[in-house]
Amino acid sequence: EVQVVESGGTLIQPGRSLRLSCTASGFPIGDYAVTWVHQAPGKGLKFVCLITSKADGGTTEYAASVRGRFTISRDESVNIAYLQMNSLKTEDTGVYYCNRWGHWGRGTLVTVSS
Amino acid sequence: EIVLTQSPGTLSLSPGERATLSCRASQVVSNNYLAWYQHQPGQPPRLLVYGASTRATGIPDRFSGSGSGTDFTLTISRLEPEDFAVYYCQQYGNSPQTFGQGTKVEI
């Protein structure tokens, strides 16, 4: 069964760094594009970033609001995709979902507050 | 980037009624790469339709997508109690992919 599970969310101060994990099962993570999506409290879904499959070159793409602060990567040896979040801002607060096309996790909550 | 505008913001209907949700794009969506998701509180978003009109695996046939270019529609033919949720459209044909702001279907 294809499954993705996010982890790593926590309460953290503005300006600090945090790494989220997206643990995949049922498929090799390098064979598919993986996307991170953010939902701020009471708001809609917003694209954060993606990494394409190995076959498509493993290229990355970022929303303008996170470019230069966030980095997506993956480790095929442990079948995990990561979201490295630096210089966090209060507006980064919310649930972060990882997804492989058609398969979403339940999300992990990041709260950026002093 | 392509801006997706969904209407109405809220749709108040009863079980058994028909729901029609609209999604309008600010530019032509390449290859009609337009998806619809259902989102229940505390649950992951659920893919309903992709490619504007192809139902995802396991999605009941009361859900149907239509449209092309800049205008897309999700129709729920007869609302079931479990269909009351927020619905999002997403375009993935142009970078960056973008979502609409959502339509809440409420009782």
Side-chain angles (χ1 to χ4, degrees), chain A residues 35 37 39 43-47 50 61-64 97 99 101-102 104-107, chain B residues 35 37 39 42-47 50 88 90 92 94-101:
Chain A
T35 303
V37 173
Q39 184 173 35
K43 303 294 185 181
L45 303 174
K46 285 198 181 299
F47 167 77
L50 68 82
E61 184 182 319
Y62 298 91
Y97 295 99
N99 77 83
W101 182 251
W104 292 61
R106 291 184 172 272
Chain B
Y37 292 87
H39 198 194
Q43 298 291 322
R46 178 190 183 197
L47 177 66
Y50 62 93
Y88 295 95
Q90 175 207 31
Y92 53 98
N94 306 70
S95 293
Q97 58 180 268
T98 49
F99 290 89
Q101 82 280 17

Side-chain angles (χ1 to χ4, degrees), chain B residues 32-85:
Chain B
N32 292 323
Y33 282 169
L34 192 288
W36 289 94
Y37 292 87
Q38 178 192 69
H39 198 194
Q40 302 273 14
Q43 298 291 322
R46 178 190 183 197
L47 177 66
L48 301 174
V49 169
Y50 62 93
S53 60
T54 302
R55 262 191 304 278
T57 302
I59 301 302
D61 60 8
R62 65 179 181 274
F63 292 92
S64 63
S66 62
S68 64
T70 60
D71 288 294
F72 301 89
T73 300
L74 176 71
T75 302
I76 311 171
S77 58
R78 293 171 311 280
L79 283 164
E80 298 286 342
E82 62 267 27
D83 299 337
F84 291 91

